[in-house]
Amino acid sequence: EGLRYHPDVVILHFCLFSDYTDNSLPSALFDARQPKPYFTWDGRALTLHDLHLKLSPPRKLAQWLSDYSHLYNRFRGLIGFRRVARQPGVWSERKNKVEDNLDPAAELTFALVRRMDELSRQAGARFYVVVHPDQFAFRHRSHLLRKLCTSPMLAGITVVEMGGRHRAAGLDFAAFALDEPGHLTEAGHEVTADVMVALVAGRLPPDWDYRAVCAPRFGIGG
């Protein structure tokens, strides 16, 4: 939908901690009560799945009221109506199940990235991917980061790995991230904002290429 605004630049922010998994699920990773559209990849084409999002007329009305009516939500609260509570730990089980067989999720993710790149280029926009590391990927030889580093499907796409940018700014993980998944601190946001300014301006130093991070971490040629 953003292409309707005729952008000059499209930036995809990719979170190593959860996005491989989230791309593969028919519902939100952290709340299985929330359905979402998703794609599958058969090695040749992406197929969109969204029929499970179709609501009956009464459900559509209830959803609209829930989204836009303060009175409706107040009434639901007064009569004691509550959504089913989240089940602690369930999201981690879903995440582990996907990562135990990571290849299909990774191929799907990279197919989506390539499609986004194609659509952006067709619209006359430059396309960039900004990868945000989790704690393990920043400090160790993460298999999630290795998948990204070794995928031929990203050839020709500009990818910036933010772990390298934070290191260059003199930040360790605790300085730029609030938690294990890598949600940013104020300092982390500042470094990320500087990177985005450079992307919008089209000024990328050669050592910003993600392969400059991959080579020393995994022995992969740049």
Side-chain angles (χ1 to χ4, degrees):
E1 299 208 359
L3 295 180
R4 297 177 183 175
Y5 295 93
H6 306 291
D8 297 306
V9 179
V10 175
I11 301 175
L12 168 67
H13 289 269
F14 180 76
C15 174
L16 271 180
F17 181 82
S18 58
D19 283 355
Y20 284 123
T21 303
D22 228 348
N23 289 339
S24 305
L25 298 177
S27 59
L29 169 60
F30 296 109
D31 188 356
R33 301 167 304 177
Q34 184 61 53
K36 64 177 181 62
Y38 69 101
F39 286 86
T40 53
W41 166 252
D42 64 2
R44 298 180 302 277
L46 289 163
T47 302
L48 172 64
H49 302 272
D50 60 1
L51 290 179
H52 61 299
L53 300 177
K54 306 302 182 185
L55 301 177
S56 65
R59 288 288 304 279
K60 285 183 180 180
L61 176 60
Q63 185 65 56
W64 187 91
L65 290 170
S66 178
D67 290 341
Y68 296 106
S69 172
H70 177 71
L71 180 62
Y72 173 78
N73 287 301
R74 288 284 294 172
F75 176 72
R76 292 206 322 171
L78 288 173
I79 64 174
F81 184 87
R82 294 288 185 272
R83 296 182 69 188
V84 177
R86 293 190 186 194
Q87 300 177 25
V90 172
W91 71 264
S92 61
E93 295 171 8
R94 293 197 295 275
K95 183 175 185 292
N96 290 337
K97 183 176 180 180
V98 171
E99 291 184 6
D100 285 344
N101 184 27
L102 185 60
D103 285 351
E107 289 187 12
L108 168 63
T109 292
F110 301 141
L112 288 168
V113 171
R114 288 213 67 85
R115 182 58 178 153
M116 293 172 72
D117 177 61
E118 292 168 3
L119 290 172
S120 299
R121 291 175 185 269
Q122 290 169 10
R126 288 176 284 129
F127 178 74
Y128 301 113
V129 180
V130 177
V131 178
H132 297 274
D134 60 11
Q135 185 177 55
F136 194 86
F138 185 77
R139 294 178 174 171
H140 306 283
R141 292 161 60 90
S142 161
H143 70 298
L144 301 179
L145 181 58
R146 184 181 182 88
K147 276 294 180 188
L148 183 140
C149 286
T150 58
S151 175
M153 297 177 73
L154 297 179
I157 298 175
T158 301
V159 180
V160 178
E161 196 278 330
M162 285 302 302
R165 300 301 90 232
H166 293 305
R167 288 190 181 90
L171 302 180
D172 62 14
F173 189 82
F176 74 80
L178 293 166
D179 51 22
E180 179 187 350
H183 293 100
L184 296 174
T185 62
E186 182 178 350
H189 277 290
E190 289 177 353
V191 173
T192 303
D194 288 341
V195 168
M196 293 180 67
V197 168
L199 294 177
V200 170
R203 299 191 302 267
L204 275 73
D207 64 345
W208 282 26
D209 189 288
Y210 74 109
R211 288 167 294 186
V213 174
C214 295
R217 298 293 294 279
F218 302 106
I220 298 166

